[in-house]
């Protein structure tokens, strides 16, 4: 099993691997359950899964720039389907890279008298081997459509992907190692210029129309879930000010792309903001801003006959657990220092597309420090501020849009499966301690022929799954190659010495 975009090697076939061990672990899962439904109930998924082990190679296979993770813990999933609100079912294809857990590895019990079987998890194994200083990672999903590539470092983080204050919470808050946090409110605002809405700013959307929400709700920040999985009342409150129509078949809100307000909203510096409770005594709350440009997604076949743009707010379909998935995480940074059950996970605002990627990561310590960048500056080339006379119109059906015409559905793809994974090809940078001794020397970029091998993205979460059925595609602008193509050296950068 080599690390790379899932489109390069196709679906995982254990029969084609000479290193696979699909007999030692006897544990298997059928139908619904947390080990089958990787979205924690965000989607209504079902199927079969069993645990196997295989060897994972990070970097070009067979070269000194690669590192091998043996006995990787893998959940191989088959016959996976998702059920939409109208009862229609669609087969899924997915691939997700595990980013670790509180324990350095995953142990499986065997019949009485037999020793435990220990399977590897990537950051835990790299830490145990001394390749990285801490079993940790720093992640910003980014946006493929806006050409802000995904950033993932093992053992460190890209400081340029952290803007403003950082909140820290224990990484061992429950056995599932999920990232729960209290969401206090949701609102709409504009960074500068005139608001494209009838109001300049509006809060209170989390609890609007729902007396059962007193002060907050608990949400899981879950890269495996695709949407903003919030109460139906919250979705209705948010979309009341948007030119969208609710489609009960899909449980989603379709953008009215012919309404001039569509262009005004998406082209303006307006955003949806999320207010979280913090444990940082220096700040009362943490606010994450998600520009509306990141919330204009596209459904494609076989879910729908023609590409259709939608706003990604939907109640959880398979449980009562609320979560903020990849649609939200385009605008947020998550860092985790597992520290064998004694560590923390970190949440912060992530920047926009006017951001240069740092060549050298920052090591994880007890705290994470952000860059000195101003968040609005990281978006300024993608926004057009509205004047007072441009913001609203008495007859939207006849008004001409004031911002540049935005291509319909050309912002981002947040799919259910591997090919439409996280908005960009995966950057699995490993901060090697030997790199520091070599004065941060990097391997030269690979040749053009190597770069051209990149086609599609690999989805990120805490587990690895593979299935062998066609899946619904929700791809940026319907242009899959353009959406996911990145140079290969953006995947793994290591020193020329790997012993």
């Amino acid at each position: 099993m080599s690390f790379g975009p899932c489109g390069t090697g196709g679906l995982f076939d254990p029969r084609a691997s000479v290193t696979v061990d699909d007999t030692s672990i006897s544990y298997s899962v059928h139908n619904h359950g947390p080990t089958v439904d990787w979205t924690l109930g965000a989607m209504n998924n079902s199927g079969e899964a069993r645990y196997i082990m295989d060897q994972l190679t990070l970097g070009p296979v067979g070269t000194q720039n690669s590192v091998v993770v043996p006995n990787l813990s893998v959940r191989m999933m088959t016959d996976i389907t998702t059920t939409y609100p109208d009862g229609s079912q669609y087969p899924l294809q997915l691939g997700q890279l595990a980013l670790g857990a509180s324990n350095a590895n995953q142990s499986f019990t065997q019949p009485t008298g037999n020793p435990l079987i220990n399977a590897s998890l990537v950051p835990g194994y790299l830490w145990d081997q001394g390749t990285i200083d801490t079993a940790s990672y720093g992640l910003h999903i980014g946006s493929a459509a806006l050409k802000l590539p995904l950033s993932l470092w093992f053992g460190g983080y890209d400081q340029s992907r952290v803007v403003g204050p950082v909140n820290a919470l224990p990484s061992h808050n429950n056995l599932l190692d999920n990232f729960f946090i209290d969401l206090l409110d949701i609102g709409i605002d504009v960074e500068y210029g005139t608001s494209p809405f009838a109001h300049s700013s509006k809060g209170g959307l989390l609890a609007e129309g729902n007396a059962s929400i007193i002060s907050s709700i608990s949400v899981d920040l879950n890269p495996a879930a695709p949407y903003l999985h919030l109460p139906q009342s919250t979705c209705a409150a948010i979309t009341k000010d948007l030119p969208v129509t609710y489609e009960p078949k899909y449980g989603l809100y379709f953008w009215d792309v012919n309404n001039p307000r569509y262009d005004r909203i998406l082209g303006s510096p307006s955003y949806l903001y999320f207010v979280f409770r913090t444990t940082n005594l220096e700040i009362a709350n943490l606010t994450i801003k998600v520009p509306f440009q990141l919330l204009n997604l596209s459904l494609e076949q076989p879910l729908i006959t023609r590409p259709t743009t939608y706003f990604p707010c939907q109640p959880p379909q398979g449980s009562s657990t609320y979560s903020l998935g990849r649609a939200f995480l385009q605008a947020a940074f998550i860092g985790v220092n597992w520290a064998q059950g004694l560590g923390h996970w970190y949440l912060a605002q992530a920047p926009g597309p006017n951001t240069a990627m740092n060549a050298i990561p920052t090591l994880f310590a007890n705290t994470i420090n952000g860059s000195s960048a101003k968040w609005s500056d990281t978006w300024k080339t993608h926004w057009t501020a509205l004047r007072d006379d441009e913001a609203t119109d008495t007859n939207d059906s006849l008004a001409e849009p004031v911002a540049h015409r935005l291509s319909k559905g050309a912002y981002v793809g947040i799919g259910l499966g591997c090919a439409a994974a996280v908005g960009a090809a995966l950057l699995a940078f490993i901060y090697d301690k030997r790199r520091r001794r070599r004065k941060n020397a990097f391997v030269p970029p690979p040749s053009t022929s190597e770069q051209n091998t990149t086609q599609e993205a690999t989805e990120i979460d805490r587990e690895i799954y593979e299935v062998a059925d066609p899946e619904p595609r929700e791809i940026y602008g319907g242009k899959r190659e353009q959406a996911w193509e990145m140079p290969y050296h953006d995947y793994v950068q290591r020193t020329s010495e790997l012993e």
Side-chain angles (χ1 to χ4, degrees):
M1 181 187 297
S2 62
F3 179 84
C6 52
T8 301
L11 300 177
F12 175 66
D13 183 356
R15 296 169 299 181
S17 174
V18 297
T19 57
V20 69
D21 178 354
D22 58 359
T23 59
S24 295
I25 302 172
S26 59
Y27 179 68
S28 63
V29 181
H30 300 277
N31 300 320
H32 290 273
T35 50
V36 171
D37 182 12
W38 59 97
T39 68
L40 199 66
M43 305 299 293
N44 186 7
N45 300 326
S46 61
E48 297 185 359
R50 64 189 180 105
Y51 283 89
I52 65 172
M53 294 183 291
D54 203 348
Q55 175 176 292
L56 174 70
T57 301
L58 298 170
V61 178
T63 72
Q64 61 181 356
N65 301 322
S66 65
V67 60
V68 173
V69 180
N71 300 321
L72 182 74
S73 178
V74 178
R75 278 191 289 180
M76 186 173 66
M77 305 184 72
T78 57
D79 300 323
I80 305 299
T81 61
T82 189
T83 303
Y84 271 78
D86 70 336
S88 57
Q89 293 185 327
Y90 298 93
L92 295 182
Q93 157 190 320
L94 52 135
Q96 297 177 314
L97 175 64
L99 297 182
S102 295
N103 295 324
N105 55 32
Q106 188 170 17
S107 299
F108 296 88
T109 58
Q110 297 302 301
T112 303
N114 293 329
L116 293 175
I117 294 178
N118 292 320
S120 301
L121 300 173
V122 176
Y125 176 82
L126 297 176
W127 169 73
D128 185 62
Q129 296 298 306
T131 307
I132 55 179
D133 285 328
T134 57
S136 60
Y137 68 86
L139 168 68
H140 174 216
I141 284 177
S143 168
L146 298 181
K147 303 192 184 305
L148 176 60
L150 183 149
S151 172
L152 171 62
W153 287 91
F154 290 118
Y157 64 98
D158 183 344
Q159 192 175 34
S160 70
R161 300 304 182 97
V162 183
V163 179
V166 180
N167 188 36
L169 289 162
S171 62
H172 57 285
N173 56 349
N174 59 54
L175 295 177
L176 296 176
D177 290 319
N178 296 312
F179 304 135
F180 283 98
I181 188 170
D182 288 341
L183 177 61
L184 304 178
D185 197 13
I186 298 174
I188 294 173
D189 208 341
V190 62
E191 189 70 9
Y192 52 81
T194 302
S195 173
F197 301 98
H199 49 77
S200 59
S201 180
K202 183 179 182 181
L205 301 181
L206 174 63
E208 183 175 314
N210 191 336
S212 66
I213 301 177
I214 306 302
S215 60
S216 66
I217 63 172
S218 179
V219 296
D220 179 35
L221 302 191
N222 184 0
Y227 310 137
L228 312 175
H229 298 277
L230 298 167
Q232 183 65 62
S233 58
T234 302
C235 292
I238 294 171
T239 56
K240 184 166 59 176
D241 289 318
L242 303 177
V244 296
T245 302
Y246 180 69
E247 294 292 337
K249 172 180 172 64
Y250 304 98
L252 294 168
Y253 296 83
F254 286 9
W255 285 100
D256 179 1
V257 298
N258 294 314
N259 189 318
R261 295 185 60 233
Y262 170 82
D263 281 326
R264 284 200 290 268
I265 292 171
L266 271 64
S268 74
S270 58
Y271 55 83
L272 199 63
Y273 66 82
F274 297 77
V275 183
F276 298 95
R277 194 189 313 279
T278 69
T279 57
N280 188 340
L281 297 179
E282 298 179 359
I283 55 174
N285 299 311
L286 176 67
T287 298
I288 302 294
K289 303 174 182 178
V290 185
F292 281 101
Q293 285 196 23
L294 297 176
L295 301 174
N296 181 49
L297 313 183
S298 181
L299 286 178
E300 291 196 348
Q301 292 182 343
L303 291 175
I304 201 164
T305 56
R306 52 188 291 181
T308 303
T309 57
Y310 68 97
F311 178 83
C313 196
Q314 181 186 80
Q317 300 297 297
S319 75
S320 59
T321 301
Y322 301 119
S323 60
L324 297 175
R326 295 185 297 276
F328 170 81
L329 292 171
Q330 296 173 100
F333 167 88
I334 289 183
V336 182
N337 185 354
W338 294 113
Q340 292 187 302
L342 300 175
H344 289 80
W345 70 275
Y346 305 87
L347 174 65
Q349 177 74 57
N354 300 334
T355 302
M357 183 182 300
N358 281 345
I360 307 299
T362 301
L363 278 176
F364 264 97
N366 293 328
T367 60
I368 281 183
N369 298 313
S371 69
S372 59
K374 185 179 179 181
W375 180 74
S376 59
D377 288 344
T378 69
W379 278 95
K380 61 185 178 182
T381 62
H382 288 73
W383 283 340
T384 301
L386 299 178
R387 302 188 307 268
D388 290 345
D389 60 336
E390 296 173 329
T392 58
D393 225 276
T394 56
N395 190 343
D396 274 345
S397 64
L398 300 177
E400 291 295 326
V402 297
H404 60 281
R405 186 68 183 175
L406 304 171
S407 59
K408 299 179 178 64
Y411 283 100
V412 67
I414 301 294
L416 301 177
C418 165
V422 293
L426 177 61
L427 318 182
F429 298 131
I430 302 173
Y431 193 31
D432 194 335
K433 289 186 290 188
R434 283 165 289 195
R435 171 176 289 127
R436 302 195 296 281
R437 294 200 298 266
R438 293 174 55 84
K439 296 181 180 181
N440 300 314
F442 283 105
V443 181
S447 65
T448 302
S449 61
E450 290 176 309
Q451 294 180 16
N452 289 339
T453 62
T454 300
Q455 293 178 356
E456 295 186 347
T458 298
E459 188 170 4
I460 297 179
D461 188 35
R462 311 174 186 99
E463 301 291 347
I464 289 182
Y465 315 90
E466 303 287 348
V467 299
D469 291 314
E471 104 277 23
R473 306 272 185 174
E474 297 173 56
I475 302 295
Y476 149 58
K479 300 178 180 178
R480 189 171 305 124
E481 295 79 15
Q482 293 181 20
W484 313 119
E485 184 176 2
M486 291 185 64
Y488 191 85
H489 68 274
D490 282 341
Y491 280 81
V492 179
Q493 298 187 16
R494 294 186 54 79
T495 63
S496 59
E497 294 184 4
L498 277 174
E499 302 171 358

